[in-house]
Amino acid sequence: MNYPDIDPVAISLGPLSIHWYGLMYVIGFVAAWWLGCRRAARLGLTRDDIGDLLFYCAIGVVAGGRLGYALFYGMGRLIDNPLWLFQVWDGGMSFHGGLIGVLLAALYFARKKQLAFFTLTDFIAPLVPIGLGAGRLGNFINRELPGRVTELPWGMPFPGLGPESRHPSALYEAILEGLVLFVVLWIVSARPRQRGLISGLFLLLYGVFRFAVEFVRLPDAHIGFIAFGWVTMGMLLTLPMILAGAALIAWSRRQPVDQRLPG
């Protein structure tokens, strides 16, 4: 298969250019707002409350994602030039950093609205995967996250990496972290569950999906493998998510059904 030749710029209006990757962020937040509004009454929240929640989460995603990328993937560059942190066009964003930012935003919102933290994260978790999937499609359009060489029929040469067919790892992540994760969480959260179960399921499934895809995704060129010739930074950062998700699910089994999350 040929790698699709998609212009990363979706719309050009004179000097203004709107990139597909930026639009994917918009799609993710709009989808989260719409889905959140559908279930807002569960927590006694209004549409304005959902807007505020997403505003705080957006700040967490951007600030946490960029800081996480700098700390996890570019510490050397950050030390050499601290201002590089703000050069968002150079480098990227880290999911794990963005997740920490969202959790901090959720903690602030939960205290503001006097909600239990895991009640709120159980509400938020099903709203996230569409944005994750859209973001991975943005990576694919931007020709990012190349995969390793494969002989599978859907492999495709990655631009700039020679004629070998490679796994479309960004599409794998879009399907698993986006579509599959959304369907599972949305269905499971359709009726009352023990507090923390949905949050734990999100961490566990995302962690397993990301860990698995790392086996067919090229590690970051400036980092490479960090242990045993096969362990990547993505695996290292994802393993705590898997453990935390499993622990949270086990903890939730001892909690009462959260009646603030009715189906």
Side-chain angles (χ1 to χ4, degrees):
M1 297 180 64
N2 293 322
Y3 203 97
D5 185 16
I6 304 175
D7 189 342
V9 177
I11 303 172
S12 292
L13 300 174
L16 176 64
S17 296
I18 301 176
H19 289 70
W20 282 109
Y21 191 75
L23 286 178
M24 295 304 171
Y25 271 85
V26 174
I27 290 172
F29 282 115
V30 170
W33 178 83
W34 181 70
L35 294 171
C37 288
R38 291 187 58 182
R39 290 183 168 181
R42 295 179 169 204
L43 299 185
L45 300 176
T46 66
R47 287 175 174 255
D48 288 342
D49 291 330
I50 298 300
D52 290 343
L53 174 61
L54 290 182
F55 174 73
Y56 301 143
C57 288
I59 294 175
V61 166
V62 175
R66 182 57 183 174
L67 183 59
Y69 181 86
L71 294 177
F72 301 145
Y73 298 96
M75 179 61 80
R77 298 183 66 181
L78 182 63
I79 293 175
D80 292 338
N81 178 22
L83 293 179
W84 171 73
L85 176 66
F86 304 101
Q87 298 173 8
V88 295
W89 58 89
D90 183 9
M93 306 280 282
S94 163
F95 165 80
H96 300 89
L99 175 62
I100 294 173
V102 168
L103 292 177
L104 292 175
L107 180 61
Y108 171 77
F109 187 85
R111 290 183 175 181
K112 182 179 179 181
K113 293 296 180 179
Q114 298 183 332
L115 294 170
F117 177 68
F118 285 120
T119 293
L120 183 60
T121 57
D122 286 347
F123 175 82
I124 293 174
L127 314 181
V128 175
I130 291 181
L132 295 179
R136 294 310 184 192
L137 289 177
N139 290 138
F140 184 74
I141 293 173
N142 276 355
R143 302 177 179 182
E144 299 168 341
L145 311 184
R148 305 185 197 183
V149 174
T150 180
E151 295 181 358
L152 292 172
W154 56 82
M156 56 187 69
F158 195 89
L161 291 182
E164 300 89 356
S165 291
R166 296 179 178 274
H167 288 282
S169 55
L171 294 184
Y172 295 168
E173 293 191 57
I175 293 171
L176 293 173
E177 301 166 11
L179 178 61
V180 175
L181 188 58
F182 170 73
V183 170
V184 172
L185 293 181
W186 193 257
I187 291 175
V188 173
S189 63
R191 65 184 182 87
R193 301 288 183 179
Q194 289 93 342
R195 183 177 297 167
L197 174 63
I198 306 302
S199 302
L201 195 59
F202 173 87
L203 293 174
L204 178 64
L205 289 181
Y206 177 90
V208 169
F209 293 155
R210 175 66 182 271
F211 195 93
V213 173
E214 286 289 319
F215 282 103
V216 298
R217 172 175 155 179
L218 278 180
D220 294 85
H222 63 291
I223 297 178
F225 297 108
I226 60 176
F228 310 118
W230 59 271
V231 177
T232 68
M233 179 60 77
M235 290 178 178
L236 184 64
L237 295 174
T238 299
L239 186 58
M241 291 184 63
I242 297 175
L243 298 176
L248 191 53
I249 291 172
W251 174 82
S252 73
R253 293 173 63 86
R254 300 191 296 272
Q255 304 304 309
V257 174
D258 195 338
Q259 296 299 333
R260 298 198 69 174
L261 295 173

